[in-house]
Amino acid sequence: MTDTEEPTLGPLDRRFELSARGTDARTEVLAGVTTFLTMAYIVLVNPAILGEAGLPVAAVAAATCIAAGFASILMGLAANMPLALAPGMGLNAYFTYTVVLGMGVPWPVALGCVLISGVAFLLLTVAGIRQLIIAAIPQHLFAAVAGGIGLFIGFIGLENARIIVASPATLVTLGNLHAPSAWLALLGLLVIAVLAAWGVRAAILIGIVATTLVGWLAGAVSFHPQPYDLAAISQTAFHLDLAGVFGLSGSHGLGLFEILFVFLFVDLFDNIGTLVGVTKRAGLIDANGKVPRLNRILLTDSIATIFGALMGTSTVTSYVESAAGVQAGGRTGLTAVVTGVLFLAATFLAPYAQLVPLAATAPALILVGGLMMAPLAEIDWADAEAAVPAFLTVAMIPLTFSIANGLAFGITAHALIKLIRGKIGGKDWLLLLLGALFVARFVWLSAAG
């Protein structure tokens, strides 16, 4: 081969643009495994939450694995992005505690609402509305979302490790550091931080595995597998009740509108926030501040929600834990494909997800959360017009446990400041509309509360 000849690329390299994005297959596989390990808790948590709504736990476990596997693989193949998807936390709680238990909606009808919201996502994407919303968000809020997600991820990691716990006096406080989960997590954080400082690409994965082994050897991890049968998915798959959805309008007043609005709103802005935060961390935002392959990403997210509802689980969405895989070096869709394949494999071994305790994955979330603070340096903190909306975004994401709420506060503040200063232009109509919708939502939620 002469100096002027192009190197021959393998099929994986050509398919996922590995060389072009400065990565290789080994790194992508390690990143995919890392993402899976930080997300594996959903295999146990989602069935536990939806089980309280009356769905068969074993069936939901299978549906969770299949939906996450399908969606992550689709994201990798269709959009070539290192974004993994699974049933969303928060939305599963809303499904169970508000829709089913609070409003008395049967779970097959609630699944029908999830399906319709997924179709609505798809239509909004095809019509270009979701893309317009993303384009309307100013760049300093993109940086704020990335930082807010970092705090959110770190907060989740600290809480999973019981390093911080709830307090009736101060909301949160320091937990018992002598507890197994706390000292295990701190040990894991030290291992991962030192390896990362040395530039070891597999630092997070090594730290998770090492912490898990130490936990087992110290007897600090318990394992109690539940009865499980893959065929159980037949108890939820295609059991949604679409006819019952439209009956809600007569028996629940605004219930149908409220349910669909929440499923739409939270998934839309959680997805936008996660998408921006993770792709920014991966260095995949282009020179104009745009997310590449945006249409494919949003279409995948829409299809994932529809597929998840058909399988028997609540809304499927992009996961902030994807940032752990990005930190491990993941830059292409191969990372998402590997994560998806592992979720499909977990379909047969769902109860064994308990082998990796939350205390072992918590350090990864804490470290990644800290590293995601970097984009905050891009914000002009001396300019109140940028600083106030950015701060509200950063603060409200972890404090309300919602990426959607953080974006809502940030966008509303940005729109109001521009409006009052008379700086609203003809291109800002969507920004004003979003601000008005957010204000209306907050008023509605306050009245409902």
Side-chain angles (χ1 to χ4, degrees):
M1 185 177 69
T2 65
D3 293 339
T4 57
E5 289 179 350
E6 291 291 330
T8 303
L9 303 178
L12 274 181
D13 201 324
R14 290 194 300 271
R15 178 66 182 79
F16 293 103
E17 304 173 357
L18 301 180
S19 297
R21 298 194 189 181
T23 184
D24 54 49
R26 177 181 176 276
T27 300
E28 295 293 303
V29 170
L30 286 173
V33 174
T34 300
T35 299
F36 171 75
L37 289 176
T38 59
M39 290 176 61
Y41 68 88
I42 196 64
V43 179
L44 299 174
V45 176
N46 196 49
I49 292 176
L50 296 187
E52 293 191 45
L55 283 81
V57 172
V60 178
T64 300
C65 293
I66 292 174
F70 168 83
S72 298
I73 291 172
L74 182 62
M75 179 66 76
L77 295 178
N80 196 20
M81 285 291 182
L83 288 166
L85 298 89
M89 290 294 294
L91 284 169
N92 53 9
Y94 175 78
F95 180 103
T96 293
Y97 302 115
T98 300
V99 178
V100 177
L101 298 180
M103 300 176 65
V105 176
W107 65 261
V109 177
L111 283 177
C113 290
V114 174
L115 177 71
I116 292 174
S117 72
V119 173
F121 297 150
L122 187 61
L123 294 176
L124 288 173
T125 302
V126 172
I129 295 175
R130 293 175 79 178
Q131 297 87 322
L132 284 175
I133 292 173
I134 293 176
I137 299 174
Q139 290 302 310
H140 61 270
L141 289 189
F142 275 2
V145 165
I149 289 176
L151 283 177
F152 189 26
I153 291 175
F155 189 86
I156 292 172
L158 291 167
E159 195 277 332
N160 284 349
R162 310 301 293 163
I163 294 172
I164 58 173
V165 295
S167 166
T170 59
L171 297 184
V172 294
T173 189
L174 184 66
N176 177 13
L177 299 185
H178 294 288
S181 59
W183 67 257
L184 262 179
L186 291 173
L187 174 64
L189 180 59
L190 177 62
V191 171
I192 294 175
V194 170
L195 290 176
W198 278 336
V200 178
R201 273 293 181 88
I204 292 177
L205 181 58
I206 293 171
I208 291 173
V209 173
T211 307
T212 299
L213 291 175
V214 171
W216 276 98
L217 292 173
V221 179
S222 59
F223 178 52
H224 306 288
Q226 302 297 316
Y228 177 75
D229 181 3
L230 180 58
I233 195 173
S234 62
Q235 297 174 313
T236 57
F238 304 103
H239 278 242
L240 63 175
D241 182 2
L242 289 175
V245 172
F246 299 101
L248 290 177
S249 58
S251 59
H252 288 78
L254 290 174
L256 173 61
F257 176 76
E258 177 185 344
I259 294 168
L260 292 178
F261 178 81
V262 171
F263 280 142
L264 274 165
F265 178 90
V266 177
D267 187 38
L268 172 61
F269 286 94
D270 268 11
N271 181 261
I272 290 174
T274 301
L275 170 63
V276 169
V278 174
T279 53
K280 193 171 186 65
R281 176 62 192 164
L284 298 176
I285 302 286
D286 66 22
N288 298 316
K290 305 299 182 184
V291 179
R293 295 181 175 84
L294 182 59
N295 284 349
R296 295 186 181 187
I297 295 171
L298 296 178
L299 284 171
T300 298
D301 178 67
S302 307
I303 294 169
T305 291
I306 295 171
F307 182 82
L310 291 173
M311 290 298 99
T313 185
S314 52
T315 306
V316 176
T317 188
S318 299
Y319 257 57
V320 293
E321 284 84 355
S322 300
V326 168
Q327 181 59 34
R331 294 294 181 272
T332 76
L334 183 55
T335 292
V337 170
V338 171
T339 302
V341 169
L342 290 174
F343 267 115
L344 292 181
T347 305
F348 303 94
L349 304 168
Y352 295 93
Q354 296 177 55
L355 286 170
V356 180
L358 288 178
T361 57
L365 299 181
I366 296 169
L367 178 74
V368 171
L371 294 174
M372 288 188 72
M373 297 291 101
L376 296 181
E378 302 173 13
I379 300 170
D380 183 1
W381 293 103
D383 178 8
E385 184 175 317
V388 172
F391 171 75
L392 288 173
T393 303
V394 171
M396 296 304 287
I397 287 176
L399 294 180
T400 66
F401 242 66
S402 169
I403 299 170
N405 282 341
L407 259 175
F409 269 87
I411 291 174
T412 303
H414 180 75
L416 285 174
I417 292 172
K418 290 195 69 173
L419 179 64
I420 294 171
R421 295 190 67 196
K423 295 178 66 176
I424 290 290
K427 296 181 180 180
D428 294 323
W429 65 270
L430 184 54
L431 186 67
L432 285 175
L433 177 60
L434 288 173
L437 287 174
F438 290 140
V439 171
R441 173 179 177 266
F442 288 133
V443 170
W444 183 13
L445 289 177
S446 297

